[in-house]
Amino acid sequence: MGRYVTRRILLIFPTLIGIITINFFIVQLAPGGPVDQMIATLTGQDAGAASRIAGADAGRQAMESTTAESQLAGAQGLDPELIEMIEKQFGFDRPIHERYLKMIGDYLTFDLGVSYYQDRPVVDLSISLGLWSMLLIYSISIPLGVAKAVRDGTRFDAWTSGLIFVGYAVPSFLFAIFLIVLLAGGSYLDLFPLKGLTSNNFDDLSLIGKVGDYFWHLALPVTALTIGGFATLTMLTKNSFLDEIAKQYVLTARAMGLNQRRVLYGHVFRNAMLIVIAGFPAALVGILFTGALLIEVIFSLDGLGLLGFEAVLRRDYPIMFGTLFVFTFVGLAMTLVGDIVYTLVDPRIDFETRET
């Protein structure tokens, strides 16, 4: 297993570089970059118009992007010195290969750059909402799914299934609005803050006060995201356990006199959990970068989902590539973690003998 993990870790770096390289040249050579965005703002045009103008000669711009942008702006009557200043501000005063090499060099030292428009490091992006939600989802769904499988057909199973179906049917953003109305100063109680991750006086609080303030702000968005995500995993866990419980080896173990707990956690658990573990990397990445987007909008949280979406619209390249870098790294790392957990749950799985 050690050699397999080492090979996978060594493959993470070239994979990251390859994905970043492909996306860098695609995005940098596409019309409608940050220089066009700024020109559109200064000349009173919308971003779409700027993109269409810049795209009029996209083939030549792909070869000479900086020159084309300067000529385009000059044709619109702007001062060439102002254009040069804008290009320098966004780093477009240098050839594309120099911009690429600088970005790769910065990424090697985990310097993801500074946002064009927010004037803050990209590493300040928050992923706490998705991480805490995933922790709660798995902490609730797996025990609940096991309990439902053991008590299949009972009143407990029926009542919890009703709650699960409600959680599955109600979108997380709608539940978030309900929580705001009920608990965040809407029509009823005012117990939780409406937006942000911390209070204005966060820096003046003690360590315990900072921790409490942080979780106080996270309570509602994490709850909304958890409600929307635990239903599917709970039913997946239940069905997986029911399928394993019905197999012949379980009947044999019970016939040998093993108690229910020993059969369930000594034999069934490791087999039933494999399908749950298989979905962990995709579930984490999905919640971090897509599932949390609307929740971040509702609660005004600067998370990866919201900032990544806004960066695409505004062509904020540092956040775009920083989000892509984190997205890819988390996906590769979680896939490796999933393989390691496979071997811990079921030692019969041996990745060392698999051809690479």
Side-chain angles (χ1 to χ4, degrees):
M1 187 63 184
R3 291 195 300 271
Y4 172 77
V5 172
T6 301
R7 288 197 301 268
R8 289 291 300 273
I9 292 176
L10 293 177
L11 282 173
I12 287 178
F13 176 74
T15 303
L16 278 172
I17 296 298
I19 293 175
I20 290 295
T21 299
I22 294 173
N23 284 274
F24 175 86
F25 285 100
I26 291 176
V27 171
Q28 291 274 341
L29 294 176
V35 174
D36 291 326
Q37 296 276 329
M38 183 61 70
I39 291 172
T41 300
L42 295 175
T43 57
Q45 302 178 20
D46 62 341
S51 299
R52 291 191 294 272
I53 294 172
D57 198 8
R60 182 162 54 88
Q61 183 182 20
M63 301 294 294
E64 302 174 337
S65 59
T66 302
T67 302
E69 288 168 354
S70 299
Q71 293 174 348
L72 171 65
Q76 295 175 340
L78 294 180
D79 188 346
E81 294 184 359
L82 177 60
I83 303 307
E84 292 180 3
M85 183 183 69
I86 294 174
E87 292 175 346
K88 185 175 182 179
Q89 174 185 350
F90 294 114
F92 280 79
D93 57 328
R94 290 176 293 180
I96 188 171
H97 68 277
E98 290 186 11
R99 302 200 299 268
Y100 168 73
L101 293 176
K102 181 181 185 304
M103 186 191 71
I104 294 299
D106 291 339
Y107 276 24
L108 290 176
T109 59
F110 294 96
D111 179 6
L112 303 185
V114 178
S115 170
Y116 286 158
Y117 302 101
Q118 301 188 40
D119 194 26
R120 65 171 181 168
V122 178
V123 293
D124 289 347
L125 300 178
S126 174
I127 61 174
S128 56
L129 176 60
L131 292 178
W132 287 115
S133 299
M134 281 299 301
L135 179 62
L136 281 177
I137 288 172
Y138 273 79
S139 299
I140 295 172
S141 298
I142 293 177
L144 182 58
V146 173
K148 286 176 63 62
V150 174
R151 298 172 176 83
D152 184 45
T154 64
R155 183 174 298 179
F156 171 82
D157 182 42
W159 278 101
T160 53
S161 293
L163 296 175
I164 288 172
F165 291 146
V166 171
Y168 184 79
V170 179
S172 58
F173 73 90
L174 188 60
F175 193 76
I177 296 175
F178 169 76
L179 291 176
I180 289 175
V181 173
L182 184 63
L183 300 173
S187 302
Y188 299 94
L189 303 176
D190 188 8
L191 301 178
F192 295 94
L194 181 60
K195 62 180 181 179
L197 279 176
T198 57
S199 301
N200 294 330
N201 64 335
F202 181 79
D203 293 335
D204 299 329
L205 298 175
S206 63
L207 178 59
I208 297 177
K210 289 181 179 179
V211 173
D213 182 76
Y214 170 74
F215 284 106
W216 183 48
H217 282 76
L218 273 182
L220 294 188
V222 167
T223 300
L225 199 56
T226 300
I227 292 296
F230 88 102
T232 302
L233 183 59
T234 299
M235 296 308 298
L236 176 64
T237 303
K238 175 192 174 182
N239 294 333
S240 180
F241 270 79
L242 284 177
D243 184 59
E244 290 296 322
I245 289 173
K247 291 184 177 179
Q248 185 63 42
Y249 76 89
V250 176
L251 299 177
T252 303
R254 288 174 174 171
M256 295 174 60
L258 297 180
N259 59 47
Q260 176 75 0
R261 184 178 181 85
R262 178 70 180 277
V263 172
L264 186 63
Y265 293 101
H267 298 276
V268 175
F269 184 81
R270 68 181 186 182
N271 294 324
M273 284 300 296
L274 293 179
I275 190 172
V276 178
I277 296 171
F280 176 73
L284 177 60
V285 172
I287 286 183
L288 283 177
F289 298 93
T290 57
L293 174 59
L294 290 176
I295 302 299
E296 291 169 356
V297 172
I298 292 172
F299 290 97
S300 300
L301 303 175
D302 291 334
L304 285 176
L306 176 58
L307 292 179
F309 175 73
E310 291 178 345
V312 172
L313 296 180
R314 304 180 67 179
R315 303 300 193 272
D316 195 342
Y317 288 165
I319 290 185
M320 286 177 61
F321 293 122
T323 303
L324 176 66
F325 180 84
V326 176
F327 176 89
T328 306
F329 179 78
V330 170
L332 294 172
M334 288 301 101
T335 302
L336 176 59
V337 170
D339 290 345
I340 295 174
V341 175
Y342 268 144
T343 62
L344 296 177
V345 173
D346 190 349
R348 295 173 300 176
I349 298 176
D350 185 9
F351 290 102
E352 290 286 357
T353 60
R354 190 175 66 179
E355 293 184 0
T356 58

